[in-house]
């Protein structure tokens, strides 16, 4: 990796990048951009003869400010590798905890039994090792893994305990799609950070951070301050994008009013390519996007932050490009030929979600707050909000030894979710679901396929869900708000499947 860009240079870049116009992109290409960090690829898809080792470790990392920040990483100084696996495999992992405090590693988006899910009950003691055998049974998708240590998830994930998993299957491996890792198939982990005057990453769990979730002011891409740049061949380029922010909703767009060609969401491919000018991503969400770099010399991915408070999310998506920062600039190398296929119009067979298949409905209400009872319960139960307030679902904060619900394996249900205030990204373990409505309206095209995240703010959000894998009382699945501070503070519940 090339040397860090000076603070002054960084400010100049940031100034240039605040405009979304193509001319700005042109101006930017005159100066050397920070290169896009490409996470190490652990390719287990063609078989493994030894367990995949993931070392959770304490480290120091320069995000590009010139200073070393105290960080956590997985086999790395910050964040983790991309692990590629294939449907039908059973993948043995060895997760070593070297961070000096208890941790866990949850496989977000995987359809797996509760005892290998890596949730809050599968704690790895400091110095200890967790050896799950992870069955991969679902279609191709971009998933991820992160700390899920109850009361510490926000701090540990912000610190860097997160990585990406590519699930491939026969169809995805033979599809006419870019799939050469780091050449025309890129993984982007988007996060927001705050740096102190010395350029070191800072995180403080104040009352306000608990209430709104951590909201940084600087965009980082794969652990490097934006903007970053990458040269690509002439042809289709695939971006697998993860919003790994603790709490920020992100609105993505492309320079020059190019459309984003969305091909996959959390749980895998859409039925066909969905084109959109802006793409809003909640924390925890993944989308895959294609860019046709046979048509473009240069393209810039723009990202704007929105909070989850009040109308923030809604305003952010309306204002879209305003206040957008450049995340990534792709520059075409005219001498390299890539994949010159058309944008796919048929990606997967996606039957319409059938609400009539549901045997029952359940209602969830996400509670913030000031209820004395919630506060007292939260304080007693050791959630991070302490006496500052309480958060819960249906009036109860998460309690490690209380299982909230029992699900029946194989039975479809409709989960109706509503929220008191703010916008909350709701997540369910052990499944993918279909969104029937989000904030009281049908889901946008990019969110109408397989998902494990749904946003909840105004009106009801409804998902059609079914659990096909068992979870016992000792290793239940979670449902929770993916604003990690809310989760830690108790906006989470547990269920068994049997
Ligand atoms: Cu990504 Cu239960 O979390
Ligand atoms: Cu999860
Ligand atoms: Cu929340």
């Amino acid at each position: 990796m090339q040397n860090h860009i000076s603070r002054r240079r960084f400010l100049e870049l940031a100034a240039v990048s605040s405009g979304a116009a193509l001319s700005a992109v042109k101006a930017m290409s005159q100066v050397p951009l920070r290169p896009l960090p490409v996470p190490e690829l652990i390719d287990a898809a063609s078989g493994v003869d030894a367990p995949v080792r993931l070392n959770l470790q304490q480290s120091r990392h320069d995000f590009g400010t010139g200073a070393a920040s105290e960080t956590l990483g997985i086999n790395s100084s910050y964040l983790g590798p991309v692990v590629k696996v294939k449907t039908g495999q059973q993948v043995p992992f060895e997760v070593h905890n070297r961070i000096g405090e208890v941790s866990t590693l949850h496989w977000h988006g995987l359809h797996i039994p509760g005892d290998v899910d890596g949730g809050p009950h599968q704690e790895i003691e400091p110095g200890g090792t967790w050896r799950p055998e992870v069955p991969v049974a679902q279609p191709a998708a971009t998933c991820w893994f992160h700390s899920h240590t109850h009361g510490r998830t926000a701090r540990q994930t912000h610190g860097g305990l997160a990585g990406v998993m590519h699930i491939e299957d026969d169809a995805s491996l033979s599809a006419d799609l870019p799939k050469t890792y780091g050449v025309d198939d890129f993984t982007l982990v988007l996060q927001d950070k705050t740096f102190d005057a010395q350029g070191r990453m800072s995180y403080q769990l104040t009352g306000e951070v608990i209430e709104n979730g951590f909201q940084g002011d600087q965009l980082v891409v794969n652990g490097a301050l934006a903007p970053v740049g990458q040269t690509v061949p002439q042809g289709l380029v695939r971006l697998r994008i993860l919003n790994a922010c603790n709490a920020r909703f992100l609105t993505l767009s492309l320079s020059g009013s190019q459309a984003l060609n969305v091909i996959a969401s959390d749980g895998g491919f859409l039925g066909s390519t969905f084109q959109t000018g802006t793409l809003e991503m909640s924390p925890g969400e993944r989308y895959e996007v294609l860019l046709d770099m046979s048509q473009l010399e240069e393209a810039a991915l723009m990202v704007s932050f929105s909070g989850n408070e009040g109308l923030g999310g809604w305003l952010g998506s309306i204002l879209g490009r305003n206040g957008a920062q450049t995340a990534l600039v792709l520059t075409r190398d005219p001498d390299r030929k890539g994949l010159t296929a058309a944008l796919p119009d048929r990606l997967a067979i996606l039957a319409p979600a059938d609400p009539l298949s549901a045997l029952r409905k359940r209602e969830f209400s996400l509670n913030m707050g000031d209820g004395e009872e919630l506060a007292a319960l939260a304080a007693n139960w050791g959630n991070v909000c302490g006496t500052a307030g309480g958060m819960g679902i249906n009036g109860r904060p998460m309690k490690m030894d209380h299982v909230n619900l029992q699900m029946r394996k194989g039975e479809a249900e409709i989960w109706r979710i509503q929220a008191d205030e703010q916008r909350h990204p709701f997540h369910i373990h052990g499944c993918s679901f279909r969104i029937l409505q989000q904030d009281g309206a049908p889901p946008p095209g990019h969110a109408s396929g397989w998902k494990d995240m749904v946003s909840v703010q105004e009106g009801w959000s409804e998902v059609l869900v079914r659990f096909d894998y068992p979870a016992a009382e000792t290793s239940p699945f979670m449902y929770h708000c993916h604003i990690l501070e809310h989760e830690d503070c108790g906006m989470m519940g547990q269920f068994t499947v049997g």
Side-chain angles (χ1 to χ4, degrees):
M1 249 209 252
Q2 106 191 10
N3 281 343
H4 68 264
I5 302 177
S6 72
R7 173 100 196 136
R8 168 131 175 263
R9 183 100 217 89
F10 163 68
L11 291 174
E12 285 167 13
L13 281 173
V16 174
S17 70
S18 58
L22 194 61
S23 59
V25 180
K26 287 244 183 296
M28 287 181 56
S29 64
Q30 314 300 318
V31 298
L33 283 163
R34 191 176 283 114
L36 170 70
V38 175
E40 177 208 0
L41 176 70
I42 299 181
D43 188 352
S46 43
V48 284
D49 28 81
V52 175
R53 285 177 70 101
L54 298 177
N55 295 322
L56 315 186
Q57 60 200 33
Q58 291 176 307
S59 193
R60 291 164 81 77
H61 179 78
D62 182 0
F63 288 87
T65 60
S69 296
E70 307 271 337
T71 49
L72 300 173
I74 306 177
N75 300 0
S76 160
S77 63
Y78 181 74
L79 297 175
V82 167
V83 180
K84 185 165 140 185
V85 300
K86 195 180 163 195
T87 308
Q89 280 187 307
Q90 166 117 348
V91 186
F93 284 92
E94 258 183 30
V95 184
H96 299 282
N97 177 3
R98 303 206 177 119
I99 66 165
E101 62 169 326
V102 69
S103 194
T104 77
L105 200 64
H106 163 60
W107 317 106
H108 177 134
L110 267 73
H111 305 179
I112 48 179
D115 59 352
V116 292
D117 186 54
H121 293 273
Q122 282 120 45
E123 290 191 342
I124 319 171
E125 291 305 318
T129 300
W130 181 51
R131 296 188 171 81
E133 296 265 335
V134 178
V136 184
Q138 70 207 81
T142 298
C143 293
W144 64 304
F145 44 94
H146 61 80
S147 162
H148 215 305
T149 320
H150 192 46
R152 305 175 190 216
T153 297
R155 185 170 43 81
Q156 292 188 357
T157 306
H158 175 274
L161 293 190
V164 172
M165 183 179 280
H166 294 178
I167 300 175
E168 300 290 351
D169 59 16
D170 288 328
S172 73
L173 289 173
S174 60
D176 235 354
L177 288 173
K179 40 178 123 57
T180 311
Y181 184 78
V183 174
D184 59 9
D185 181 355
F186 296 95
T187 296
L188 305 179
V189 180
L190 305 181
Q191 293 172 304
D192 56 326
K193 295 289 173 202
T194 299
F195 297 97
D196 66 15
Q198 282 72 48
R200 294 170 309 199
M201 176 175 86
S202 66
Y203 181 83
Q204 254 134 35
L205 199 57
T206 60
E208 195 192 327
V209 167
I210 290 172
E211 168 123 10
N212 296 329
F214 171 80
Q215 302 193 355
D217 49 10
Q218 305 267 11
L219 178 69
V220 297
V221 183
N222 297 350
L225 268 173
V228 292
Q230 173 71 40
T231 322
V232 293
Q234 184 163 348
L236 289 184
V237 169
R238 178 181 192 170
L239 304 178
R240 306 185 191 230
I241 308 169
L242 162 67
N243 178 344
C245 297
N246 280 23
R248 285 266 193 206
F249 285 72
L250 303 174
T251 303
L252 277 54
S253 59
L254 289 173
S255 56
S257 302
Q258 292 285 322
L260 291 148
N261 304 297
V262 186
I263 58 167
S265 58
D266 305 337
F269 289 117
L270 302 179
S272 57
T273 304
F274 178 79
Q275 295 194 312
T276 178
T278 57
L279 178 62
E280 192 183 59
M281 294 185 72
S282 79
E285 272 194 302
R286 291 88 65 209
Y287 285 105
E288 295 184 31
V289 165
L290 291 182
L291 267 71
D292 189 353
M293 295 300 290
S294 60
Q295 305 298 322
L296 301 167
E297 264 170 63
E298 246 170 351
L301 178 70
M302 316 298 296
V303 173
S304 61
F305 289 147
S306 42
N308 53 298
E309 324 90 307
L311 291 174
W314 174 76
L315 270 179
S317 59
I318 300 290
L319 298 176
R321 289 149 211 268
N322 296 343
Q325 323 184 32
T326 302
L328 168 71
V329 178
L330 296 178
T331 310
R332 180 172 78 189
D333 176 350
D335 301 328
R336 277 197 300 157
K337 290 274 171 279
L339 176 70
T340 48
L343 289 171
D345 51 9
R346 198 167 173 76
L347 290 150
I349 297 165
L350 201 63
D354 176 16
L356 296 177
S357 67
L359 294 180
R360 62 189 74 81
K361 276 191 186 181
R362 291 178 202 271
E363 293 191 351
F364 299 85
S365 135
L366 311 182
N367 321 122
M368 306 233 353
D370 28 4
E372 261 172 53
E373 215 178 329
L374 270 180
L377 287 170
N380 285 339
W381 295 354
N383 295 315
V384 295
C385 37
T387 53
M391 296 190 195
I393 297 180
N394 293 345
R396 291 189 72 114
M398 157 81 179
K399 193 181 180 195
M400 283 293 280
D401 61 7
H402 177 80
V403 170
N404 304 75
L405 297 167
Q406 275 107 26
M407 300 297 150
R408 310 221 9 165
K409 199 171 149 200
E411 292 186 354
E413 303 195 347
I414 292 174
W415 286 22
R416 285 167 60 77
I417 311 123
Q418 65 165 7
D420 291 355
E421 49 182 302
Q422 290 202 354
R423 189 161 199 212
H424 305 271
F426 188 78
H427 170 57
I428 312 175
H429 287 209
C431 68
S432 297
F433 52 68
R434 299 288 292 277
I435 301 178
L436 301 174
Q437 59 175 48
Q438 177 161 270
D439 291 341
H446 55 266
S448 61
W450 291 108
K451 297 276 302 150
D452 52 56
M453 299 293 323
V454 62
S455 292
V456 183
Q457 181 175 22
E458 286 166 44
W460 290 92
S461 289
E462 283 190 356
V463 301
L464 178 67
V465 66
R466 195 186 68 208
F467 302 99
D468 292 329
Y469 298 90
E473 211 157 307
T474 47
S475 53
F477 287 133
M478 307 290 136
Y479 53 91
H480 59 90
C481 175
H482 220 286
I483 291 175
L484 300 180
E485 289 80 6
H486 291 181
E487 173 189 334
D488 279 338
C489 186
M491 200 180 283
M492 177 153 70
Q494 318 192 66
F495 64 100
T496 56
V497 179

